[in-house]
Amino acid sequence: EIISLEWATENLDGSTSHHLKEVHRWKLSILGAEGMTLLPSGREEGSPFDHLVVSGDESSGKNTIDIFDFDSFDLKSTAVEKKSMLNKRLMSKGLKSNKVGDMSYFEGLLYVLFDNAQVIRAFDIETGTRVQEIPLPVSEIGSESQWEGMHLERIYEENSLFNGGLRGSGSSDTSFLVLHLALDTPAHVWSLRLNEDHETGRWTLPNCAL
């Protein structure tokens, strides 16, 4: 299921409470959904998103990455069907496992976390080409394939107060890139300040995560 939530404010016993409130649910034509990301539309008006991409399992047990029309997630419907699929065989070519733990669309590229294969791959979805492959760090021996979540974030100088809590170090440019990784077992969240090559647009993990 996909669940839509919104922040709600309530006054309880004279104090203000902020919490997430469920708005709507949609059943997906996919089993065991694990990762999802939104793809932008590029339109100046209307919805800023065109598609929702979800990874999971088909009824046959095979792994799949399905594409859903974002506009089909309206409050009048309770179920949505996929529009198409990404070529997972091509995306996972050469890996020991094609299982996808999470995905993130960031600065024009689709990043796919293959948790069992212990890598992140970046793809240009316009051309279908693989741009980069990044090995995942090892948090604890025996938990190498337990990374289940990822999020890329660009932080600008005015938000530099976050610098102190990050693993690794980077350049002193006007912005820097952070990779947030969530480990399933044992429960960890890592925030890694990445090393960027501004000429190629690629990045690497800091030495402390290698």
Side-chain angles (χ1 to χ4, degrees), residues 65-81:
I65 303 179
D66 291 351
I67 301 174
F68 298 84
D69 274 328
F70 185 73
D71 291 338
S72 63
F73 291 87
D74 60 67
L75 299 182
K76 297 179 181 179
S77 62
T78 57
V80 290
E81 296 290 330

Side-chain angles (χ1 to χ4, degrees), residues 53-117:
V53 183
V54 182
S55 65
D57 299 324
E58 295 179 319
S59 57
S60 62
K62 294 182 178 179
N63 296 327
T64 184
I65 303 179
D66 291 351
I67 301 174
F68 298 84
D69 274 328
F70 185 73
D71 291 338
S72 63
F73 291 87
D74 60 67
L75 299 182
K76 297 179 181 179
S77 62
T78 57
V80 290
E81 296 290 330
K82 66 183 179 184
K83 174 185 177 182
S84 58
M85 298 185 299
L86 292 178
N87 189 333
K88 194 168 186 180
R89 180 176 296 180
L90 180 63
M91 297 176 73
S92 61
K93 185 177 180 181
L95 297 180
K96 64 180 182 181
S97 171
N98 65 357
K99 181 179 176 295
V100 173
D102 202 7
M103 294 178 291
S104 179
Y105 184 84
F106 183 77
E107 294 186 349
L109 296 176
L110 176 63
Y111 291 86
V112 182
L113 187 156
F114 293 93
D115 49 348
N116 286 351

Side-chain angles (χ1 to χ4, degrees), residues 135-149:
L136 285 166
V138 176
S139 171
E140 292 191 20
I141 301 300
S143 300
E144 295 87 349
S145 60
Q146 294 293 315
W147 294 112
E148 294 287 346

